[in-house]
Amino acid sequence: MSKHSPITLPKEKPLYHLNGWLSALLPNGACSHLSLVKDFQDNLYQTEEKLLSGMSTARCREFVAGRTLSRFLLAALGCPSQPVLRGYDGMPIWPDGYCGSITHKQGVCGAIVAKSEALASVGLDLEFNQPLTESVWKNFINEGELEDSPSFDWKANILFSCKEAAFKCLSSSGMDSANIPLREILVTFSEDSNKGFAVACHFRGVTLHGRAIVHRRIVLSAIKMV
């Protein structure tokens, strides 16, 4: 959990390093946490429960964890408890004066929330490192990006995670998500020792900045608009 929050949350050892890394990226007025989905299964508001219709059991648990964790973080910033609903594009609808992003994958859930004066928009994405075939990565990666990407295996996973985070950030800023193809988001990297990679995401004249890191099997990307 970010140092800006007075709330104590579980500290899962496999995620401890990533939580510290993520917290260090954020300005005052923002906080974050990564946890296990099973640890954040609180009651939803009735309006949120309606959004569970048609979801699988696993997807329901992820949704509950994302909303529960988001409410903890919002409370840490002084926001009264309230529903975090969903827009037509599937993106969370944050309370007035706040922005945020939620991610979940294979039993892990994460969120960033921030006051609007701290960040205009933010995107968070978590993936698990695995080889991707050319037929898959060609759907979202430009050949030029592979030349600029980090020099280690599974670089396509890093690019995909950064693009997903940038997509969330752009969507939350008010752009129409239907008009943000991942292949048009150009990602460039620069290495920074043990702190991961500095990332710049370029899309139709807009440049976003953030960081990405690979720790054990987890790929984590955080992209922000200030």
Side-chain angles (χ1 to χ4, degrees):
M1 181 119 184
S2 167
K3 59 182 178 292
H4 308 298
S5 169
I7 295 178
T8 300
L9 297 178
K11 293 182 178 180
E12 296 76 23
K13 290 183 179 179
L15 301 177
Y16 187 78
H17 174 79
L18 291 174
N19 270 317
W21 176 86
L22 187 58
S23 176
L25 302 183
L26 301 177
N28 289 324
C31 55
S32 63
H33 192 67
L34 295 168
S35 187
L36 301 179
V37 166
K38 68 180 181 64
D39 290 332
F40 284 88
Q41 295 296 305
D42 207 347
N43 294 327
L44 297 179
Y45 282 90
Q46 187 174 8
T47 48
E48 293 174 323
E49 288 181 349
K50 293 179 180 179
L51 301 176
L52 298 177
S53 178
M55 292 184 186
S56 66
T57 300
R59 179 68 187 93
C60 284
R61 287 176 59 82
E62 290 176 341
F63 183 89
V64 172
R67 265 49 185 186
T68 303
L69 179 53
S70 294
R71 257 190 289 283
F72 270 106
L73 297 176
L74 286 166
L77 296 177
C79 180
S81 181
Q82 56 191 284
V84 178
L85 300 178
R86 186 177 61 198
Y88 76 94
D89 56 359
M91 295 294 173
I93 299 175
W94 299 98
D96 290 342
Y98 296 86
C99 65
S101 184
I102 301 171
T103 187
H104 37 68
K105 180 77 70 172
Q106 296 182 23
V108 179
C109 177
I112 295 175
V113 298
K115 294 182 178 180
S116 298
E117 59 263 31
L119 293 174
S121 185
V122 65
L124 179 67
D125 185 72
L126 182 150
E127 304 291 336
F128 278 82
N129 243 340
Q130 57 185 342
L132 297 177
T133 64
E134 183 176 351
S135 61
V136 172
W137 64 250
K138 273 194 170 181
N139 292 323
F140 58 87
I141 293 178
N142 296 296
E143 291 184 5
E145 289 176 314
L146 291 177
E147 298 174 0
D148 295 331
S149 60
S151 55
F152 56 87
D153 291 339
W154 302 324
K155 59 187 68 174
N157 287 275
I158 314 296
L159 287 166
F160 178 72
S161 181
C162 289
K163 285 172 183 262
E164 279 286 306
F167 174 87
K168 294 177 182 179
C169 186
L170 292 167
S171 298
S172 296
S173 73
M175 287 191 183
D176 184 358
S177 60
N179 293 316
I180 311 176
L182 293 188
R183 208 167 190 277
E184 288 190 28
I185 300 174
L186 179 64
V187 178
T188 55
F189 298 89
S190 60
E191 294 192 47
D192 186 10
S193 66
N194 293 327
K195 296 180 181 179
F197 303 89
V199 178
C201 300
H202 313 275
F203 180 74
R204 299 178 184 175
V206 176
T207 299
L208 307 172
H209 295 279
R211 304 194 70 82
I213 192 171
V214 180
H215 181 65
R216 298 184 183 178
R217 292 183 55 234
I218 294 177
V219 180
L220 187 66
S221 302
I223 306 295
K224 57 190 177 181
M225 180 183 292
V226 298

